[in-house]
Amino acid sequence: MGVSVDEFLELLNELPEVRMSHGGEWIGLKVRDKGFGYLWEATETVGLKATIEEQIALVAERPEVFEVQFTAGRFGWVVVHLDRIDSDELFELVAEAWCLTAPKQLVADFEATHQIGQQVQPG
């Protein structure tokens, strides 16, 4: 369990058009100039965009892994402690943050080739 900063950066390669911008003590994560996350290497934490409902649920369920960062409009940003989460769950959260931010056609193209956030229907 646990994801290193380098492993987190590798996960970002799975998402189209991710750009990083250095903001001093943090790295901003963007898709088409819109932010969906932040990385603080010194504390090995990531801030990710989520719905407010998901923010509340994650923090209530596992406060040792997640904490409230802030809310903005209809979004609740969540701090994720990288050393307390596995890579599959982290990728799902990063992909969801990306999907909340990316243009609809880019999201549709991505979702057509990935199972993130999709319910598999029983056969």
Side-chain angles (χ1 to χ4, degrees):
M1 177 92 115
V3 177
S4 71
V5 168
D6 288 339
E7 290 168 331
F8 171 75
L9 293 171
E10 285 180 30
L11 290 177
L12 296 176
N13 293 329
E14 299 293 319
L15 299 167
E17 299 188 33
V18 172
R19 302 287 178 263
M20 290 183 265
S21 60
H22 294 269
E25 295 185 19
W26 47 268
I27 297 171
L29 309 174
K30 296 181 178 185
V31 57
R32 298 215 179 151
D33 293 324
K34 294 185 178 180
F36 68 91
Y38 299 91
L39 167 65
W40 292 274
E41 291 184 81
T43 59
E44 297 184 6
T45 56
V46 176
L48 295 172
K49 184 187 248 183
T51 63
I52 291 174
E53 296 80 13
E54 183 163 31
Q55 176 200 53
I56 292 167
L58 289 169
V59 173
E61 184 179 305
R62 297 197 346 250
E64 72 282 3
V65 179
F66 305 105
E67 58 186 85
V68 172
Q69 185 176 13
F70 63 90
T71 58
R74 60 188 178 102
F75 299 109
W77 290 69
V78 177
V79 174
V80 181
H81 293 268
L82 292 177
D83 64 342
R84 300 177 191 161
I85 191 168
D86 69 47
S87 61
D88 289 342
E89 183 180 16
L90 179 60
F91 181 71
E92 186 169 330
L93 293 171
V94 172
E96 287 172 7
W98 181 90
C99 287
L100 289 171
T101 310
K104 288 181 181 173
Q105 187 58 53
L106 197 57
V107 172
D109 294 346
F110 174 75
E111 288 181 340
T113 59
H114 291 75
Q115 294 297 314
I116 300 300
Q118 299 176 15
Q119 295 295 326
V120 176
Q121 298 299 321

